[in-house]
Amino acid sequence: MRIAVRTLPHAASSRVWKHLQHVHTQTTHARGREREKGGGESFATRIFSFFSSSSLSEFSSFLSNMAALSAWFWNERFWLPHNVTWADLADPAPGVEYPKAGHLLSALPLALGIFAVRIVFERCIAGPCASILQIQTELSRRAQPNAVLEKVFTSITKSPDSRHLEGLSKQLDWDVRKVQRWFRQRRNQDKPSTRTKFCESMWRFTFYLCIFIYGIRFLWQSPWMWDTRHCWYNYPYQVLTSGLYYYYITELSFYWSLMFSQFTDIKRKDFLIMFVHHLATISLISFSYVNNMLRVGSLVMCVHDTSDFLLEAAKLANYAKYQRLCDFLFVVFSMIFFGTRLIIFPFWILNTTLFESWEIIGPYPSWWLFNILLLVLQVLHIIWSYLIARIAFKAIMRGKVSKDDRSDIESSSEEETEMTPKERLKAASPRGENGTNGHFGSKSWSQNHKNW
């Protein structure tokens, strides 16, 4: 029997309402029997009667409101093309499966599993690799305990201006330079070590490389890889294959795991930006899945996975202090990034979502939203490409690529202005480096990666 999906919430509400009415009737009969026995009502019966009579109508109203909200959100005139209803997708032929919103829930436990695998990977694989490359955890000098300065650091500012410094100096009877030094040591105390960043980048490199290989292998055998018009033929009655399902759910689970790990990792300056980025990515993947735009969505994911593992590889070379390898990988990353984001994405992906889909299925409300989001993504591609090109130009002029300072790491220029000549001499690296991890002293090249 075919039942429209949008009627299910109302059916559930009706069943709950009938059950509560049945319970209320039984309670009323029990009260009558107790009165006949002359024993009066029991305390438990009175309590249950009070809650059932006072909450029955409110709970029913709540269920009705939730059913109305669900019907409004899943309005088929927004989600589906004209002349297609949820009922048409609710009862496919035997052996045929269409994407359902409930499938996305499986990504949450899988995300926890990926997060657990990451912990094991960083400790058992990435950590030993860091030791082989002689990447050790730096021992930063800890700031001496001070309740007044700690309160200012956590509640007001981590980098006080001259006015705050003078006020704190008078309050503590400290020299201004000593207060500056305390805040600098306190900031450096929270920064992630090079070893920590190496392990994190190695995990991301491994995942991005594996998911890219899987995506290419899967799409190589898919017709829409070679003719994007197949993304829209017979839409939305396109069968969900196991390979496409695993590709989508794995990508979605990974970004959920990144959101989880943000709250357990060391806080970085780009915490809010990365949180919004992960949330937007999760929303786009979920939106395309529910809307059964999986075919074109798989092309979008593969295009973005193409360059991500190269950037992580360049960062690994950076942390290991292989300067020439780092520069080479960054150049390769930049070329592939420009090719995929400025050529393939607009002339291949946007061409099919805007023009071929218009010709084959025509526009409808969620079609407009999907394409608007992709156009916004293309604008971000242009901005990021400009930032990468500017960094690459500076790297060519200076002969080296900049360091990764997404974390709260003090730059050498900041430290030297706050340190005495004797302290600067002591903090200088024996290899003539800037003391933060190697060869890099200019603006970060991977700082701009924080939005990707």
Side-chain angles (χ1 to χ4, degrees):
M1 182 177 183
R2 299 177 63 164
I3 302 175
V5 175
R6 56 179 176 174
T7 63
L8 293 179
H10 299 285
S13 177
S14 177
R15 288 195 299 270
V16 173
W17 168 255
K18 290 180 180 179
H19 175 71
L20 290 176
Q21 284 183 320
H22 176 69
V23 172
H24 183 65
T25 302
Q26 288 183 330
T27 304
T28 304
H29 291 334
R31 293 168 62 190
R33 287 194 298 270
E34 289 178 359
R35 288 194 187 99
E36 291 175 358
K37 294 178 181 179
E41 299 180 8
S42 66
F43 179 76
T45 304
R46 292 179 181 178
I47 293 297
F48 186 81
S49 175
F50 170 77
F51 281 106
S52 62
S53 60
S54 61
S55 303
L56 188 60
S57 59
E58 294 180 4
F59 186 66
S60 175
S61 176
F62 171 76
L63 289 177
S64 300
N65 292 334
M66 293 300 296
L69 179 62
S70 176
W72 170 82
F73 181 81
W74 296 109
N75 190 329
E76 56 199 18
R77 294 280 58 83
F78 171 81
W79 289 96
L80 300 175
H82 303 297
N83 301 323
V84 179
T85 65
W86 291 118
D88 299 330
L89 303 172
D91 190 17
V96 175
E97 182 73 19
Y98 296 136
K100 293 181 176 62
H103 295 168
L104 300 176
L105 296 177
S106 60
L108 295 177
L110 183 58
L112 295 176
I114 291 177
F115 182 64
V117 170
R118 173 197 167 180
I119 295 175
V120 175
F121 178 90
E122 291 184 355
R123 291 183 180 179
C124 300
I125 299 178
C129 289
S131 299
I132 293 173
L133 294 171
Q134 298 182 348
I135 301 175
Q136 304 298 331
T137 302
E138 299 92 344
L139 297 176
S140 59
R141 185 175 179 182
R142 301 184 65 86
Q144 67 181 84
N146 188 291
V148 175
L149 296 181
E150 186 68 27
K151 184 176 181 180
V152 173
F153 182 86
T154 55
S155 305
I156 302 177
T157 178
K158 296 182 179 180
S159 301
D161 54 20
S162 58
R163 182 174 59 85
H164 281 97
L165 289 173
E166 292 177 359
L168 292 170
S169 175
K170 294 178 180 179
Q171 181 179 355
L172 298 172
D173 194 22
W174 282 14
D175 183 71
V176 173
R177 188 174 296 278
K178 185 177 180 181
V179 178
Q180 285 180 324
R181 189 179 301 112
W182 189 94
F183 277 95
R184 183 179 67 251
Q185 293 174 350
R186 184 63 181 84
R187 288 191 296 267
N188 289 337
Q189 184 176 313
D190 290 341
K191 74 177 182 180
S193 66
T194 302
R195 185 185 181 91
T196 300
K197 293 188 291 182
F198 177 89
C199 294
E200 176 186 320
S201 289
M202 189 171 180
W203 161 247
R204 296 194 184 205
F205 166 78
T206 303
F207 178 85
Y208 288 143
L209 180 60
C210 291
I211 199 66
F212 171 70
I213 294 174
Y214 177 86
I216 284 292
R217 186 173 178 272
F218 170 75
L219 291 173
W220 199 268
Q221 305 170 0
S222 304
W224 60 88
M225 173 77 168
W226 311 106
D227 182 5
T228 53
R229 298 175 67 88
H230 282 276
C231 292
W232 314 108
Y233 290 150
N234 199 35
Y235 178 85
Y237 305 103
Q238 295 174 346
V239 178
L240 175 64
T241 63
S242 58
L244 193 54
Y245 171 80
Y246 295 140
Y247 189 25
Y248 248 78
I249 295 301
T250 303
E251 287 269 16
L252 182 62
S253 301
F254 177 72
Y255 283 102
W256 272 119
S257 72
L258 291 182
M259 287 195 67
F260 298 155
S261 64
Q262 275 198 293
F263 296 95
T264 58
D265 292 344
I266 297 174
K267 291 291 182 66
R268 290 182 167 179
K269 294 187 295 186
D270 61 350
F271 175 86
L272 182 60
I273 295 175
M274 290 304 299
F275 181 82
V276 173
H277 170 265
H278 298 332
L279 187 62
T281 303
I282 290 170
S283 301
L284 277 170
I285 294 176
S286 302
F287 177 84
S288 61
Y289 188 92
V290 172
N291 212 22
N292 202 10
M293 291 185 176
L294 277 73
R295 295 184 176 182
V296 71
S298 62
L299 297 178
V300 173
M301 292 191 300
C302 186
V303 166
H304 285 78
D305 290 337
T306 303
S307 59
D308 284 345
F309 72 92
L310 290 170
L311 178 61
E312 297 301 331
K315 292 164 70 175
L316 290 175
N318 174 10
Y319 301 142
K321 301 181 181 179
Y322 290 104
Q323 178 63 37
R324 291 186 178 180
L325 179 60
C326 173
D327 294 343
F328 171 76
L329 290 172
F330 179 73
V331 170
V332 175
F333 156 76
S334 301
M335 294 173 60
I336 293 181
F337 186 91
F338 296 151
T340 54
R341 311 296 175 96
L342 300 183
I343 299 177
I344 294 179
F345 187 84
F347 295 103
W348 190 43
I349 303 295
L350 292 181
N351 175 68
T352 189
T353 60
L354 288 172
F355 303 110
E356 293 178 350
S357 63
W358 183 295
E359 178 184 345
I360 297 174
I361 64 174
Y364 53 98
S366 65
W367 179 93
W368 285 105
L369 178 59
F370 185 67
N371 279 284
I372 289 174
L373 294 175
L374 291 180
L375 289 171
V376 171
L377 188 59
Q378 180 58 32
V379 173
L380 295 177
H381 290 166
I382 296 173
I383 296 173
W384 294 331
S385 297
Y386 164 74
L387 295 174
I388 292 173
R390 188 176 67 175
I391 294 169
F393 176 76
K394 290 182 178 180
I396 293 173
M397 297 301 294
R398 296 174 180 172
K400 57 187 69 176
V401 178
S402 305
K403 69 182 180 69
D404 174 13
D405 72 348
R406 288 184 304 145
S407 310
D408 291 329
I409 302 175
E410 302 297 309
S411 67
S412 58
S413 59
E414 287 178 323
E415 293 185 5
E416 289 176 0
T417 57
E418 298 175 357
M419 297 170 66
T420 64
K422 183 177 180 181
E423 290 171 331
R424 283 200 296 269
L425 183 61
K426 182 183 294 186
S429 170
R431 294 169 59 178
E433 300 162 354
N434 66 4
T436 57
N437 177 39
H439 323 264
F440 313 110
S442 58
K443 192 175 180 179
S444 166
W445 59 265
S446 61
Q447 181 181 7
N448 302 311
H449 171 62
K450 63 190 178 182
N451 298 325
W452 306 342

